[in-house]
Amino acid sequence: MSICPLRNCLFLFIFLLSYQQASSFSFEQCNVTRSCWFHPPECAADNLAACQSGVEWQMLPEGLFLQLEAKVHDLDQTRPFYAALGFSFNQRMDDDTVFECVVPHTGDGKVQISFNDETFNQVLPQGSSVLLTEGTTSYVDGVLTCSAKLLLDNRPLIDNDTQFMVHDLESGSYHLLFARGSANKYTLEKDIHSTNDGQQFPWMSDEQVSFCRTNCSSPNLYHIGEMRQTYNVSRYWRYRIAVWHGILLMFAWWVLASNAILISRYFKPLFPRNKLLGTAVWFQLHRDMMILSVVIQVICVLFIFYQAGWVWYQCSYMCTSDDFSKKMHGITGFTATVLALLQPVFGFLRPSPTSSIRPIFNWGHWLVGMFSWSVASATIVLALPMGKTGLNRLYGHVPNWIVLGYILFFIACNLILEIITITSNKTKIEGIQPHRFTVGPMGMALANLNTPIKDAPIEVPKRTKARVTVVLVHLIVSLSVNIAFAVMLFHALWSHSP
């Protein structure tokens, strides 16, 4: 039987002691004198090794006692750490009051109150000074711990301009949100938490909690076991849905719709004796490309709302420019899709070629189409700074210049084709409209759209090769832009969510 040397035994004793301290999440008072919420769900009294963080609270005559505890060994060890508890109405990080602590490796930490408005967090120094008392922080053996009393009766003392940011906790029920992360070593300002699947992503309670001191109709003690880190789709798939959403919608609008617009406006006089699946070549191409574009749009919009939990993004009080872009992206994108859906309906209801209101329909159809294309292009611009794409974050303003370049190129293609059309139709046969050719039953060009009202002598199309060349060049450029953005989006995706 061998006995370990004194020095080695002492080292082993200290190691075991420190391990026990780092894992010492206490369940003794849960549902007895305190309420508890530990993460992840596997964390239990008989499985302390699985515990990563926890929240304990207790109702007192003067208010609410809160204690946060979190392991931080998986965070950046060169920077301060923070733990935060949010009180939310809807399991989303919007309009939430937050109790938090920021703790450096050495020196004093901070216990404070802040407010979340989607991706923006604002610390409330005045509110913290009147609401919090007996605040303590510590960082021992890789475990951050902090606690304080929240004086609920002092809420009326908060300044009027920020009082709405501190919820009256006794007036309703709240989901709890828990986050941990790193902070600036000089200012102790918090970084955004991890945005990838894993232990560092925030937790949210499925159960709503009430905070009551007297005459309580609901339970005053909780031991929360049901929790989640996302809604109905994991972050892994939410990022991938967002990336494919961007790639496919850019293809739908800038490849399919853009080329369909050019074909519809400038290909009518071309190939007058040819048919494609029984109808004029230009009309068949235009219709099929636009139908495919609309189908892709509808699928992409449904999937992006599904991954967002069917919730419309809102930034209530403190929208930054990026937050505003995200909010407007949803509005303009939805508007463009609705307008695109209306176009085939309008086409089905179009009046006959001899109707007096047919010119009004023609102009209206064109205007709605171009307006929806413009709104869709603005939606693409608004997507560039969004977090899930990461384009501006990784590539600076390069994506913006590519987008601007393509939009100007599309306008230039329209101008060139318009010049070709005008200059090639200075001498036209009477009664023939260069934009209104279809194939008649005798192989003659018809003077009216899709209806054999009368056959007209076919004017020999001029500068056909020039028109086809411009559209083919546009097709190549639009596809190249789409492929370039697909490469950038996948690179951004794999950089943070491999």
Side-chain angles (χ1 to χ4, degrees):
M1 180 176 179
S2 62
I3 301 176
C4 65
L6 178 61
R7 179 180 298 179
N8 291 350
C9 290
L10 182 61
F11 174 82
L12 180 61
F13 174 78
I14 294 174
F15 174 80
L16 293 174
L17 180 63
S18 64
Y19 180 82
Q20 183 180 8
Q21 289 176 341
S23 306
S24 59
F25 290 82
S26 175
F27 288 77
E28 293 181 0
Q29 298 302 315
C30 295
N31 256 346
V32 179
T33 61
R34 291 186 178 185
S35 297
C36 300
W37 179 36
F38 294 101
H39 334 106
E42 295 79 19
C43 176
D46 56 354
N47 190 20
L48 293 178
C51 299
Q52 291 291 329
S53 52
V55 180
E56 298 179 47
W57 68 95
Q58 182 179 9
M59 299 305 302
L60 303 172
E62 62 271 31
L64 174 65
F65 172 80
L66 288 166
Q67 177 175 298
L68 309 183
E69 190 173 12
K71 293 180 181 178
V72 293
H73 59 274
D74 55 341
L75 300 177
D76 186 346
Q77 298 299 305
T78 65
R79 309 180 66 202
F81 314 106
Y82 74 83
L85 176 69
F87 303 91
S88 173
F89 293 109
N90 54 10
Q91 291 184 302
R92 299 181 67 88
M93 199 176 72
D94 56 350
D95 300 352
D96 302 333
T97 300
V98 180
F99 169 78
E100 64 189 29
C101 53
V102 187
V103 181
H105 289 268
T106 58
D108 296 331
K110 296 194 301 184
V111 179
Q112 57 197 16
I113 299 293
S114 66
F115 176 75
N116 276 341
D117 185 13
E118 285 289 348
T119 57
F120 189 86
N121 176 268
Q122 178 180 342
V123 176
L124 306 176
Q126 192 271 339
S128 300
S129 66
V130 300
L131 287 177
L132 298 178
T133 184
E134 301 180 23
T136 63
T137 64
S138 68
Y139 172 63
V140 179
D141 297 324
V143 178
L144 177 158
T145 306
C146 66
S147 64
K149 287 183 181 179
L150 185 62
L151 305 178
L152 301 178
D153 294 328
N154 285 1
R155 184 174 178 271
L157 302 179
I158 302 173
D159 293 340
N160 292 332
D161 58 341
T162 59
Q163 188 175 117
F164 72 94
M165 299 181 183
V166 179
H167 299 323
D168 182 0
L169 296 183
E170 293 184 285
S171 66
S173 299
Y174 300 87
H175 292 282
L176 301 182
L177 311 179
F178 183 88
R180 60 192 180 96
S182 301
N184 186 287
K185 65 173 63 176
Y186 303 108
T187 64
L188 296 186
E189 182 179 354
K190 304 179 301 298
D191 292 342
I192 188 171
H193 55 73
S194 171
T195 56
N196 298 322
D197 291 324
Q199 292 292 350
Q200 294 183 24
F201 195 77
W203 290 95
M204 43 193 168
S205 69
D206 287 335
E207 183 180 357
Q208 286 187 305
V209 174
S210 298
F211 301 94
C212 175
R213 286 182 287 178
T214 58
N215 300 321
C216 303
S217 58
S218 59
N220 206 28
L221 292 173
Y222 299 85
H223 194 170
I224 298 175
E226 298 295 326
M227 66 195 79
R228 65 182 67 193
Q229 290 181 295
T230 186
Y231 308 107
N232 51 338
V233 182
S234 69
R235 301 293 295 186
Y236 177 90
W237 286 111
R238 290 178 71 182
Y239 283 126
R240 279 148 181 80
I241 289 173
V243 165
W244 279 108
H245 171 88
I247 294 171
L248 290 176
L249 282 178
M250 184 173 285
F251 178 79
W253 280 107
W254 281 4
V255 177
L256 294 176
S258 293
N259 287 284
I261 290 171
L262 295 178
I263 289 171
S264 172
R265 182 160 179 80
Y266 301 109
F267 267 40
K268 290 187 179 74
L270 308 186
F271 320 115
R273 290 186 176 88
N274 299 328
K275 294 182 180 181
L276 181 62
L277 300 177
T279 189
V281 174
W282 74 267
F283 183 75
Q284 192 67 258
L285 291 174
H286 173 76
R287 180 176 61 187
D288 292 351
M289 293 172 76
M290 290 306 299
I291 289 175
L292 180 58
S293 174
V294 171
V295 170
I296 292 174
Q297 291 174 54
V298 171
I299 292 174
C300 288
V301 169
L302 289 176
F303 267 90
I304 206 68
F305 272 102
Y306 168 70
Q307 66 86 30
W310 307 105
V311 176
W312 197 280
Y313 177 85
Q314 290 292 333
C315 180
S316 304
Y317 306 106
M318 296 172 290
C319 283
T320 63
S321 59
D322 288 354
D323 293 325
F324 181 77
S325 295
K326 185 176 180 180
K327 179 178 181 179
M328 291 306 301
H329 175 82
I331 295 173
T332 56
F334 188 77
T335 301
T337 302
V338 170
L339 291 173
L341 276 170
L342 292 176
Q343 283 290 76
V345 177
F346 293 153
F348 180 78
L349 298 176
R350 68 186 184 275
S352 68
T354 57
S355 172
S356 60
I357 64 172
R358 182 58 178 259
I360 298 176
F361 164 80
N362 291 339
W363 276 106
H365 188 66
W366 180 81
L367 286 172
V368 172
M370 291 308 299
F371 180 71
S372 62
W373 184 92
S374 301
V375 173
S377 297
T379 304
I380 293 173
V381 175
L382 292 169
L384 300 180
M386 291 174 62
K388 284 191 177 70
T389 65
L391 291 175
N392 284 154
R393 174 174 53 84
L394 286 181
Y395 302 103
H397 293 293
V398 172
N400 301 69
W401 288 112
I402 296 176
V403 167
L404 177 61
Y406 170 74
I407 293 174
L408 293 177
F409 177 75
F410 177 73
I411 295 173
C413 288
N414 277 271
L415 292 175
I416 293 171
L417 288 168
E418 197 67 36
I419 293 171
I420 292 174
T421 301
I422 293 172
T423 57
S424 63
N425 290 295
K426 288 184 176 179
T427 57
K428 59 182 181 181
I429 299 176
E430 184 179 355
I432 297 180
Q433 303 177 38
H435 292 320
R436 285 287 171 263
F437 281 113
T438 56
V439 179
M442 297 165 53
M444 306 288 281
L446 300 181
N448 296 287
L449 178 64
N450 292 335
T451 305
I453 302 301
K454 61 178 181 179
D455 283 340
I458 298 178
E459 182 183 27
V460 178
K462 298 178 180 179
R463 300 186 180 178
T464 298
K465 290 184 178 179
R467 301 187 198 205
V468 173
T469 299
V470 172
V471 174
L472 284 178
V473 170
H474 175 269
L475 175 62
I476 293 171
V477 171
S478 61
L479 277 172
S480 299
V481 170
N482 198 197
I483 292 171
F485 270 94
V487 171
M488 288 190 290
L489 284 168
F490 276 116
H491 177 261
L493 171 68
W494 292 329
S495 69
H496 65 82
S497 181

